[in-house]
Amino acid sequence: MPDHIPAVVPRSKRSTEARWLTVLRQRIIVNDLFAGLVGAAVGLVMHLNASGEFLMSGIWSLLLPGAWLGSVGALRGYSDRNLEFGSRRFGSILRSGLSIFGLAGIASFAGELFLPRWPVIVALASTIGLSLVLQYRTSRQLARGRYRGRNMRRVLVVGRDRQAETLRQHLENRPADGYLVVAVCRPGGEALPGAAASERMDEPDILAAVDLYSVDVVAIAADPDLSGELLRRLSWALEQRGVELIVSPGITEVSGSRISVRPVDGLLLLHVERPSVSAGPYLIKGTFDRVIGFLLLLGLSPLLLVIAVMVKLTSSGPVLFRQPRVGRNGEQFKMLKFRTMVLDPDRRLIDLAPVSDGSGVLFKLRDDPRVTRVGKSLRRYSLDDLPQLLNVLRGEMSLVGPRPALPTEVTHYTSNDARRLLVKPGLTGLWQVSGRYDLSWDESVLLDLRYVDNWSLQLDLLILLKTFRAVFSGTGAY
């Protein structure tokens, strides 16, 4: 690729990306305005019913919708990047609610104004809750449209053979992220062997390719030749064309919360934090597990009793099945489950091993003859796992974590696989919400390692929410 950066070639018409982003921004602003109006109305009605006063309630109600839009906008809730990635919008909404609540408290104290406390709290809670619901619905609709090929950003990938193809695969693996690779440009006219003719970019001039394919994004794969002054001047040229530049550092399976950029003498350094496996965060995680586990056990106790009676009446044997599993740091414990198989299932395992649906490490069988009639229903909706809440209360398991491993599986672990044992196994996890037993062994290990390296309480909460959807659908369970 030559050093020369040609003159700007203006784009003849506004890009499709700009149009759909404008429509999306308008829709989200209308949603937030509607949420603010509903919240203000709820707070006003609540205050009038309580005291009959109108002045301060009326002023507060008139100000809330405008203040809500202004706060979300000030926290970049309507920026292009946050519009496309719903998770960032969720954060903007929550921070906006806290900001308005804090400002209302300061105004009430400093200005000696009487603001109705509970109506204000209820109004803000209603506004935040409705905004989150509407944002979730909008994000789902945007994702569904992108899986049909709509609202995509046209991407030019620049890099050498392996790096460019890896970046391309990652961009195309998740259509919901909105990236559509339309061309791959290789420095010096290099072409990837086996690539379709339409995908080969022998033109070494990146900006010529940008104009030729009318792209919205240029994605640079990790390459020492595409850095420094050349990359700087390229970013200037792309800025004049209204084209976004993204650079891949080649790091995979690391969450954004562990990455930060640190400038040193004008050079940007990508800093990757170590995974949180220290005692401090796990003390918080353990407390969270026990509190939520106790509440779940208390609330589900009638269901547990009904399941226990059904298991006892429909097959001979104990209600609970106890099985050795490997926990954190390789310590073994007895994992509890409702019994879903006939007595002595291990005796028939040798005969069934040749027809396993899993790999040589993990035994899986879609139509296992050892499973009882009631057991099939329990397994389909993961109700047989509910007794593991007792394991959570005893500190042997976590609500969220890697899949509990059998001792025979651990003997086949590689050094990388053994990282799963750095945290407690979980009642649910990424494997549960990403396909359950439909996953291969390698896919299951990859998800568990991703969780170990990137876990946080926010991730745990997200997985717990997604677990309900996975369980109710019954997908991947047998």
Side-chain angles (χ1 to χ4, degrees):
M1 185 182 64
D3 253 8
H4 175 60
I5 301 295
V8 174
V9 180
R11 307 179 79 175
S12 59
K13 60 181 180 179
R14 194 180 184 197
S15 67
T16 303
E17 179 200 10
R19 290 197 297 271
W20 69 258
L21 268 177
T22 300
V23 173
L24 179 63
R25 181 179 291 104
Q26 292 172 348
R27 179 178 178 180
I28 288 178
I29 290 175
V30 170
N31 287 344
D32 286 347
L33 178 60
F34 176 72
L37 291 172
V38 170
V42 170
L44 178 60
V45 170
M46 181 179 177
H47 185 59
L48 290 177
N49 289 339
S51 64
E53 297 179 2
F54 179 77
L55 180 58
M56 292 308 302
S57 298
I59 295 175
W60 162 257
S61 300
L62 291 174
L63 291 178
L64 178 58
W68 179 247
L69 291 180
S71 178
V72 176
L75 293 171
R76 301 183 60 79
Y78 304 126
S79 65
D80 292 351
R81 187 173 301 178
N82 287 343
L83 288 176
E84 288 192 79
F85 299 98
S87 58
R88 298 191 178 191
R89 271 273 303 162
F90 291 137
S92 297
I93 291 172
L94 294 174
R95 289 194 299 271
S96 297
L98 292 175
S99 299
I100 293 180
F101 185 77
L103 290 174
I106 294 174
S108 178
F109 176 77
E112 298 182 354
L113 301 175
F114 173 73
L115 290 178
R117 182 173 56 185
W118 283 111
V120 168
I121 294 175
V122 172
L124 274 176
S126 301
T127 302
I128 294 171
L130 185 55
S131 290
L132 291 174
V133 171
L134 294 175
Q135 173 59 36
Y136 176 77
R137 189 182 68 174
T138 301
S139 298
R140 296 289 297 174
Q141 291 173 345
L142 178 62
R144 284 194 293 266
R146 282 174 165 173
Y147 274 101
R148 298 185 181 97
R150 299 196 300 266
N151 304 330
M152 304 295 285
R153 308 174 71 189
R154 297 169 60 84
V155 181
L156 170 69
V157 172
V158 181
R160 300 191 184 277
D161 293 352
R162 184 183 302 175
Q163 293 87 345
E165 185 61 21
T166 299
L167 178 56
R168 173 184 174 175
Q169 290 175 357
H170 280 282
L171 290 175
E172 293 183 337
N173 280 345
R174 279 177 49 91
D177 290 336
Y179 293 113
L180 175 64
V181 178
V182 296
V184 177
C185 180
R186 295 172 178 83
E190 297 176 2
L192 183 67
S198 60
E199 297 169 351
R200 294 184 179 182
M201 280 298 303
D202 296 330
E203 173 58 63
D205 193 327
I206 297 176
L207 294 181
V210 169
D211 297 328
L212 177 64
Y213 288 92
S214 298
V215 300
D216 303 302
V217 178
V218 172
I220 306 292
D223 192 325
D225 293 335
L226 297 172
S227 60
E229 183 63 22
L230 176 61
L231 190 60
R232 183 187 184 198
R233 290 188 289 115
L234 177 62
S235 69
W236 291 343
L238 293 177
E239 179 184 1
Q240 296 177 42
R241 285 168 167 79
V243 177
E244 184 178 348
L245 174 66
I246 58 177
V247 180
S248 168
I251 300 175
T252 60
E253 304 302 336
V254 177
S255 67
S257 60
R258 290 178 53 203
I259 296 177
S260 60
V261 176
R262 299 183 179 180
V264 177
D265 193 27
L267 178 67
L268 296 180
L269 301 180
L270 200 64
H271 186 80
V272 182
E273 301 285 350
R274 290 173 294 180
S276 298
V277 294
S278 58
Y282 273 99
L283 179 61
I284 299 175
K285 180 179 174 67
T287 303
F288 173 82
D289 288 336
R290 284 182 167 87
V291 171
I292 302 301
F294 175 77
L295 294 176
L296 288 174
L297 192 61
L298 189 64
L300 295 173
S301 54
L303 176 61
L304 296 174
L305 181 59
V306 171
I307 294 175
V309 172
M310 291 175 60
V311 172
K312 190 64 178 179
L313 293 179
T314 55
S315 61
S316 59
V319 172
L320 294 179
F321 175 67
R322 295 172 173 82
Q323 188 178 44
R325 295 292 178 118
V326 180
R328 187 185 181 191
N329 297 326
E331 297 181 1
Q332 291 195 20
F333 66 96
K334 293 287 186 179
M335 188 184 74
L336 302 176
K337 299 182 70 172
F338 281 120
R339 183 175 55 83
T340 58
M341 291 186 174
V342 298
L343 290 176
D344 300 326
D346 293 337
R347 183 170 49 85
R348 302 181 59 183
L349 182 60
I350 299 177
D351 298 330
L352 296 173
V355 294
S356 171
D357 294 325
S359 66
V361 178
L362 183 63
F363 176 82
K364 296 186 294 185
L365 193 60
R366 187 172 296 273
D367 295 315
D368 197 325
R370 301 173 299 168
V371 179
T372 64
R373 184 179 60 183
V374 172
K376 289 183 179 179
S377 299
L378 296 180
R379 286 184 166 213
R380 178 174 179 79
Y381 298 103
S382 296
L383 296 176
D384 58 320
D385 291 330
L386 291 179
Q388 292 168 31
L389 289 170
L390 294 173
N391 293 117
V392 173
L393 291 181
R394 295 200 303 229
E396 299 163 338
M397 292 181 62
S398 177
L399 288 175
V400 181
R403 187 185 60 81
L406 291 164
T408 53
E409 296 174 15
V410 176
T411 59
H412 294 87
Y413 276 7
T414 65
S415 58
N416 290 336
D417 298 341
R419 285 186 59 81
R420 303 168 79 190
L421 304 180
L422 290 176
V423 301
K424 295 177 183 178
L427 180 62
T428 184
L430 285 176
W431 52 274
Q432 175 80 309
V433 301
S434 304
R436 300 161 91 178
Y437 284 105
D438 283 340
L439 297 171
S440 67
W441 168 255
D442 291 336
E443 290 171 332
S444 177
V445 170
L446 180 62
L447 289 172
D448 285 342
L449 294 180
R450 182 182 301 171
Y451 175 81
V452 171
D453 286 341
N454 301 297
W455 84 267
S456 65
L457 284 180
Q458 293 89 339
L459 179 60
D460 282 3
L461 289 172
L462 180 61
I463 292 175
L464 287 173
L465 291 175
K466 288 187 175 182
T467 296
F468 290 105
R469 184 177 63 183
V471 168
F472 286 129
S473 66
T475 305
Y478 47 87

